[in-house]
Each structure stands twice: as structure tokens, then as C-alpha cells.
Amino acid sequence: MTQRIVLWLLLWPALCWATPTKPEPAKYWIIFKDKDPSAAPALSPGTLHSRQLRGLPVDDTDRPLSANYLAQLRQTGVTPLCRSRWFNAVSAQLSPAHVAQVKQLSFVKELIPIDRHLVVTGLPDADLTRPQLAPVMNQIQANEFAAAGLTGRFVKVGVLDAGFFGADSAAALKHLFVRNGVRTVRDYVNAKKTKNDLFHNLESMSDFHGTEVMAAIAGLDPAENIQYGLATDATFYLARTDQGNREFRGEEDNWVQAIEWLDSLGVRLVNTSLGYARGFTDPKENYEPKQMDGHTSVISRAAQMAADKKGMLIVVSAGNEGDDRSWRIISTPADAQGVLAVGATNSRLWNRIGYSSIGPESLPYLKPNVSCFSLYGTSLSAPVITGFAACIMQANPRLTNREVIELIEKSSHLYPYGNNFVGYGVPQASRVLAMLRKQPLSATARSVNASGKSVSLPLGLNDKETVSIFRKKDETHVIQQEALKVSNGKLLIKRVNGEARTTVDLKKEVIEVIWD
């Protein structure tokens, strides 16, 4: 069955929306002024030990909300909906009368309205019941990790997604459930749902999405002898944070609660193949491209906190707006500096596949970070790299999240000549293993100075072989990507207007042409 999936999230702007003619309860974040400094951190012993090993302090964001403040809120008739330790806040539906009343409470620092309008980013059409990711395993050299015995064993992986329908009966995931590899599941959309409800009750086609993501992280079908993901021995913690069959205003709350829950359980690696950009209600209420800055959306702020203060590695799909000329750029939370944002490449040339979102030129850092092959959206390229990260974390559990990201970037086939189309390119397991073993890496990158309007590069390739190039206006920002053919063993590049650099992608080697 073919189905277009849409994923939703609420905005969190600084300003309130226009008041309707007849005031009705609106949703707000209620920010508290402080916490009880004597309260014990709401963290598991495993999380505390992990923080200690990595030199990450336990701070006020780890302490629970004040029980006294929550009780006083309830006494005013306010019912807290969602709670956030990290932001020291609760969300609630407030009438105008309640707004005035809550503002007078001595412990309330601020009220922030939550925009009622939704934003959306879609996946390309796909057969969601048949994952077709096997080719990417060759691209990232999955056999190298397998030969080294790296399968994500002992690594906890969190998945924040739209649904996990059929996960416990999918052939590619059967091995996880046989060994109790899915430890716990939470539904933040509908708290009354049990694990069985999530696996067996289908509300919309979005409910397949998390199942496909899991398969891309850890899928293995012994009957067909096909491996779909790298982390076949990882342990999973699943959270449904997104509802796809109606306009629902709680996805923002859900994601924040879920990431805090995963942190409390000691989960250090999280895949979130959700991206938020524009809506289908009032266009004036949607995100604008300039807001993809890494700190405007609440989900990016939470993801950045998870990276900076909690030591979590958040792997995020870059977005699927690359073909949309009115948008094109990555969605949030892929814009957060501390996350590992993953784009998508073609299978043959390893350059950007059309739908894959590009990094905004306004960002002072590179996005996406890396990319890999996916026919069906960056939602299914990100989990491949999550599995890749799990193998690294198994090999050396003491690595920090930043160190794992650095290894993945340095292993990628275009490094150090990254760009805002595919980041540093496709990670290579053989190069990661060499770095983990502190072995010298073979030289795969070189630069060439060129002047004038053209340059001819001797490549030693067969005639008519196709080579991918990225024409760039500076070190990272692409003007356009092209495919050129080799002639007489040489590649002729004719410089275009505004071209300062050209990256020549030979897969096993990268050449950076620097124009005078």
C-alpha cells in the first residue's frame, strides 16, 4: 500500500496569537522560578554512573518539579498536562481568568503561549510494509562492523516516532522480540494505550513509521538473509510522540517528555525521524525558513540541551523538502548544532537525492552532518546512521556524544570537504575501525589549485565513467551538483559564475579544486 505520511509539531513562539472573539482556553507553558535544591535527581543509577564517567554534572535540570508548586496550581483549578524537568515547566489549558490568576502566583516566572497551528513535513510516497534498505549496508561497509563483531550489543537506543504498528510481528524485527530486546514502550499521545495497543491497533498509516525506522536501525530477516540495519543486538526503548490522523497540539510536549524519560533511563543514543517545517492551516502561522536557526523551536532547544548537558547523541532526519523551491532547507530539530543531522544520497553517485533537504546558508555550522542512501526519505537514512553510531558505542562505551559524531564525520567519504547538500558524505565503517584502533588512515583527500575558467584533472578512470561534482560559492555552500563524464582519462571542469571551489567526488577519493 502506498501512503503519504505527514508529521506534526506545534510552534512555540514568543508572542501570543490574536484573541478570538469568544475567548476559549488556550495552551501555555507555565515556567517556574526555581526548584527545591535538596530534591534528589530524577535519574536512574545507570544514568548517574554514565554522567560521572563522562564528566557531565548533575544540575538543576535533573531535579523534579516542585511538588508544592504543582499542588498550588491544582488549587487554582489548573490541571498540568505535561511536565518538563529540563525547562522547569508544565503545560496547561488556561482560560483568560486562569491566565490572570496564574500570573499572580509568586513561583511563576513566565507564561509562554503555545501556538495552536500545526506545521508539517512529508515523506515521499513509499511502500511502508517492505523496507528496501539493503543497498545502504554495502554503501556504509556494514560487513566491516560485522567482521569486527560490532552489532550494537549493550547499547540502549531510544526511538521517538509516530507509531510502531506491527513491530512485534515484522519478520525483520522478530529477533529483537525473541530476546526481549524491546524493553519498554510509552505512548505520549494517548497515555491509556498499552504496548500491545501500540503494536496491534492501527489509527493511521503513520503508525507504520516507527516500525520502519526500527528496521533501518536493527532489521535482520534470516529467512531472506537480508540485513536492513546495523544494531541488530541493541536494546530499544520506544516512545510514540506524534499522532498522524488528526490535528493534535501536544506533539511538542510529548517530545520533550519522551527525551527526558529516555535520559532518566540512561539512554544515550536516540533516533528521531521527525521533522517540522511548515503547516497546512494558516500559512502565516507556520515556521519561516529563517527560524531554522537551531534555537527558535522548543524541540531544537530540548535536543541541544540533551546534547550539551545530558551527553545524549540525537540522530535526526534532515527533512524531505529539497525539491520544494519555496523551502528546500532542513527542518527542525535537524537545525540544532549538537544533533547529528542525516541527509540522503543517490545509490550510484552518492550525491544528494532530490528530496533531501539542504543546510541553510545562514547557519555558522554544517548541516546536514552526513548522508547515506535512502529511496524513501531521510526518515530512513537517519536510522541507518543510528545503527552505525550504536556499533561505535559498543566498540568504545566511554566515547562522548561529540566524539562519536566526530568519528562518524571523519570517516565519511568527502571529509574534510563537506557541503550543505550531503554534509561530509557517507560514513565508512573501515575508516571508523581504523580510528578506533588508532591506526593511520590512508590519504583519501587532496586539494588542487586552479586558475582561469577551466581545469582538466587526470583521474585514471575509464572513459565515459560518470563523476559527481559539487560547485560551491565558498568552502561549504553548494551552487549546484552535477554529474560529468571522464574523457581520455581526464575530467574537464568548466568554472561557472560565482564558483570558488569544486568538490570532485570519486567515492574512494575526494579532490577539492580551489579556484584562484
Side-chain angles (χ1 to χ4, degrees), residues 258-277:
I259 199 72
E260 292 185 14
W261 170 62
L262 292 175
D263 172 50
S264 74
L265 298 176
V267 176
R268 294 182 53 227
L269 176 60
V270 178
N271 187 94
T272 181
S273 285
L274 304 173
Y276 309 101

Side-chain angles (χ1 to χ4, degrees), residues 170-220:
L173 299 176
K174 184 177 180 180
H175 64 289
L176 296 181
F177 289 88
V178 167
R179 62 174 175 81
N180 193 31
V182 178
R183 293 299 170 84
T184 186
V185 176
R186 279 198 179 182
D187 188 338
Y188 286 93
V189 175
N190 185 346
K192 295 180 180 180
K193 275 196 170 185
T194 65
K195 179 165 66 174
N196 285 336
D197 290 331
L198 275 179
F199 293 154
H200 303 148
N201 291 350
L202 182 65
E203 292 183 6
S204 76
M205 297 306 294
S206 294
D207 292 351
F208 283 104
H209 193 256
T211 305
E212 289 299 307
V213 166
M214 287 179 65
I217 298 172
L220 176 65

Side-chain angles (χ1 to χ4, degrees), residues 139 251 339:
Q139 188 189 42
E251 285 86 355
V339 308

Side-chain angles (χ1 to χ4, degrees), residues 11-24:
L11 297 174
W12 188 4
L15 301 176
C16 184
W17 54 81
T19 305
T21 304
K22 293 183 179 180
E24 59 183 20

Side-chain angles (χ1 to χ4, degrees), residues 472-491:
K472 302 185 294 185
K473 64 177 69 175
D474 51 34
E475 290 187 5
T476 58
H477 298 118
V478 176
I479 300 171
Q480 62 192 55
Q481 65 179 28
E482 292 181 20
L484 303 180
K485 289 191 181 296
V486 174
S487 178
N488 298 320
K490 297 180 179 180
L491 185 70

Side-chain angles (χ1 to χ4, degrees), residues 39 133 149 195 205 224 230 232 307 325 348 368 401 403 443 464-465 492 496:
L133 293 177
K195 179 165 66 174
M205 297 306 294
E224 298 293 333
L230 286 167
T232 52
R325 291 289 170 177
R348 186 170 68 91
N401 55 343
E403 288 170 335
K464 297 185 179 180
E465 190 164 340
L492 178 63
V496 301

Side-chain angles (χ1 to χ4, degrees), residues 384-424:
V384 171
I385 303 305
T386 297
F388 197 95
C391 291
I392 296 173
M393 294 169 75
Q394 176 192 352
N396 186 349
R398 292 183 176 272
L399 291 172
T400 67
N401 55 343
R402 290 185 180 88
E403 288 170 335
V404 175
I405 291 175
E406 184 179 7
L407 278 170
I408 292 172
E409 290 179 340
K410 285 185 174 180
S411 79
S412 298
H413 83 291
L414 295 180
Y415 189 86
Y417 302 118
N419 62 65
N420 65 331
F421 269 35
V422 295
Y424 290 110

